[in-house]
Amino acid sequence: METFEITVELKSPVVLGTDTFWTLDGVCFGILDDMRKVGLTDLNPVDSIPLKCEDGLFYASRAFFDNDVRQDKAKIGGIRPVKDMQEATSFISSPRGRMPKVVTTRFPFKSHLSRYVEIGARSVSWIAVGNPDAVAALIVNAGSVGALRKDGHGKVGEVHVVVDASLDPLITDGMPLRPIPETHAAAKVFDPELPKIEDAWRPSYFDISNRAVCFVPAR
């Protein structure tokens, strides 16, 4: 394994969920999980992340954007007529004597509002320990990163890797570069008075069982 910095040039703004540090292991997990869902691999996406991992903690920093501009973004989601039509009886109401209508106020197909942050930047970088060639290949082959990729967000340009053993993906100047649980061995180097919050610290990041009280970077 090597310590490296990977920089991804961005051809379009990245969209992320609010209050995320967007770690490199999270990026790799998302790509591998998508590959599994479409049948390109049957491997466990967490176990397949090509980064160093100790007691569940991946040696991968948060994302660092170059010259970024941010704005809030909202997207309304609901039924998908083509994909969901096989379950039409679940969301189409047909009161006696009236024309059938789509029900978007209840049931699993209820319309919902999702909030994101859209980030325009020249590039995004991470520091990590692992297999830099494998990580770069995952990102290049994915073609885009972040949320709302089908809408054209997060398109990947050139990817650059610099191997540098002096880098540390977990800590700089006594501060964490990613969420690290206060009970994890890697957290012993931190001043116990540093701010801590409950946060997700390992993939999958949407799984509430992967949340703990963590030392976190400044937002």
Side-chain angles (χ1 to χ4, degrees), residues 16-184:
L16 302 176
T18 58
D19 297 327
T20 177
F21 293 106
W22 205 34
T23 59
L24 184 58
D25 52 289
V27 174
C28 292
F29 170 82
I31 295 170
L32 289 162
D33 193 46
D34 284 347
M35 292 172 61
R36 179 185 59 81
K37 288 176 180 176
V38 300
L40 293 177
T41 180
D42 58 359
L43 298 176
N44 183 299
V46 175
D47 296 340
S48 302
I49 295 172
L51 297 170
K52 178 180 178 181
C53 181
E54 288 187 349
D55 295 327
L57 182 71
F58 283 92
Y59 279 58
S61 76
R62 63 172 299 173
F64 298 97
F65 290 93
D66 177 32
N67 198 31
D68 57 301
V69 176
R70 300 174 181 238
Q71 66 176 3
D72 294 334
K73 184 179 181 67
K75 184 179 177 69
I76 296 176
I79 66 167
R80 299 152 296 180
V82 175
K83 185 173 181 180
D84 297 331
M85 193 52 65
Q86 62 184 359
E87 301 178 56
T89 56
S90 299
F91 58 83
I92 292 181
S93 173
S94 181
R96 181 176 300 177
R98 299 181 184 178
M99 291 292 291
K101 64 178 181 179
V102 176
V103 180
T104 59
T105 57
R106 60 188 187 278
F107 305 131
F109 304 96
K110 176 180 178 180
S111 295
H112 58 275
L113 180 68
S114 297
R115 299 189 182 278
Y116 301 93
V117 58
E118 183 179 69
I119 305 172
R122 296 172 183 169
S123 63
V124 59
S125 302
W126 295 269
I127 299 170
V129 177
N131 183 333
D133 292 335
V135 173
L138 277 178
I139 293 174
V140 169
N141 291 330
S144 57
V145 291
L148 305 186
R149 297 183 298 278
K150 292 181 180 178
D151 295 344
H153 293 285
K155 287 188 177 297
V156 170
E158 293 188 11
V159 176
H160 309 277
V161 172
V162 176
V163 175
D164 187 344
S166 69
L167 297 174
D168 189 331
L170 300 185
I171 183 173
T172 183
D173 298 327
M175 296 296 293
L177 290 180
R178 60 159 300 125
I180 301 175
E182 63 177 347
T183 57
H184 197 282

Side-chain angles (χ1 to χ4, degrees), residues 182-210:
E182 63 177 347
T183 57
H184 197 282
K188 292 181 179 179
V189 298
F190 297 125
D191 181 339
E193 298 302 315
L194 284 177
K196 297 182 285 289
I197 63 170
E198 182 179 298
D199 204 352
W201 63 279
R202 62 183 180 183
S204 57
Y205 282 88
F206 51 79
D207 187 339
I208 61 173
S209 67
N210 291 332

